Amino acid sequence: MFVAAVSLFGFTGVSILSVLFHERVQRLSALDVGGRLLALFGTYVVVAYAAGRLIRRTGFILPLTLGFVLGAAATAGLATMGPGTPYSHVWWLYALFGAASRMVATAALVSVSHERAGMASGAVNAFRQVGTVTGSSLLGALLAGRLPSQLPDRLEAHGVPRAAWPAVEHAVFSGRSDGAAPPNVTAAVGDAFTFGVHTGMAVIAVVLLCAAPASALLVRNRPRLGAA
């Protein structure tokens, strides 16, 4: 249950923060954002086939721990994205995170007998929903809190006149704009938004990294190789 909740906390968090970053900071269309995240979701689906077979043979302490560590490393790498970061520099981080998440998510279902697979699936899905809700709400609130705290400094750094700050802040927080913003305003808002995304990615990386030793020490290792 712990593994399921933490796994979906990280997976949902990375997905939401990535969508917001590419849409709001890099100004990509919804279709372009979906194309970029195929590296994450596609790998997640493909690895599902091999992960179950691997875990049944090796036990699931190693895949669990390795999955959490690799997920933390990939998220830490995504926390370095900037407004001008090309996709060619980060696609492999999305693929790595997708593979790591799938390794972790598969472990709970292969740790029980086939007769109990339905019960395990239901229990795991319940806690996956807990992780999903926690990730989206907590990280969304964190992003919403970091954006206004950083915006004044970013506006000042980009030379935006103080008289224009209230209008910019209102447009950011309401999601409404009277027209195209000047380049320095767009850059300042993008920097503030990026800082919030980086903070959220750092939180996910820390949570996944802390889960690695916890799973290694507390989860029982019972590979099911078939009847004796």
Side-chain angles (χ1 to χ4, degrees), residues 16-55:
I16 290 177
L17 291 176
S18 296
V19 168
L20 292 174
F21 173 81
H22 290 307
E23 283 190 344
R24 303 296 177 85
V25 178
Q26 294 194 330
R27 304 293 179 178
L28 299 178
S29 67
L31 183 60
D32 288 336
V33 174
R36 293 195 172 200
L37 292 186
L38 276 178
L40 191 162
F41 294 105
T43 306
Y44 187 88
V45 172
V46 171
V47 171
Y49 177 77
R53 293 174 177 267
L54 173 66
I55 293 171

Side-chain angles (χ1 to χ4, degrees), residues 122-133:
V124 166
N125 281 331
F127 277 81
R128 284 163 66 93
Q129 296 304 316
V130 172
T132 298
V133 172

Side-chain angles (χ1 to χ4, degrees), residues 117-210:
M119 179 178 64
S121 178
V124 166
N125 281 331
F127 277 81
R128 284 163 66 93
Q129 296 304 316
V130 172
T132 298
V133 172
T134 304
S136 57
S137 58
L138 177 62
L139 296 171
L142 180 63
L143 174 60
R146 301 303 287 175
L147 178 57
S149 68
Q150 290 293 312
L151 188 55
D153 290 339
R154 305 298 177 176
L155 291 173
E156 184 175 9
H158 285 275
V160 179
R162 286 184 176 269
W165 288 15
V168 174
E169 292 173 346
H170 178 268
V172 169
F173 302 143
S174 65
R176 300 176 180 177
S177 177
D178 295 333
N184 59 342
V185 172
T186 301
V189 174
D191 285 351
F193 204 97
T194 300
F195 183 84
V197 171
H198 287 177
T199 303
M201 292 290 190
V203 170
I204 296 171
V206 170
V207 170
L208 296 181
L209 194 59
C210 291

Side-chain angles (χ1 to χ4, degrees), residues 30-131:
L31 183 60
D32 288 336
V33 174
R36 293 195 172 200
L37 292 186
L38 276 178
L40 191 162
F41 294 105
T43 306
Y44 187 88
V45 172
V46 171
V47 171
Y49 177 77
R53 293 174 177 267
L54 173 66
I55 293 171
R56 288 185 187 281
R57 293 183 175 276
T58 66
F60 48 84
I61 284 184
L62 178 60
L64 269 183
T65 306
L66 184 61
F68 278 132
V69 171
L70 292 178
T75 308
L78 292 173
T80 65
M81 291 189 301
T85 301
Y87 181 63
S88 60
H89 290 184
V90 297
W91 71 265
W92 64 274
L93 292 172
Y94 284 123
L96 178 62
F97 184 82
S101 297
R102 184 71 259 187
M103 289 172 60
V104 171
T106 304
L109 296 182
V110 301
S111 64
V112 299
S113 62
H114 292 295
E115 294 78 11
R116 297 183 176 181
M119 179 178 64
S121 178
V124 166
N125 281 331
F127 277 81
R128 284 163 66 93
Q129 296 304 316
V130 172

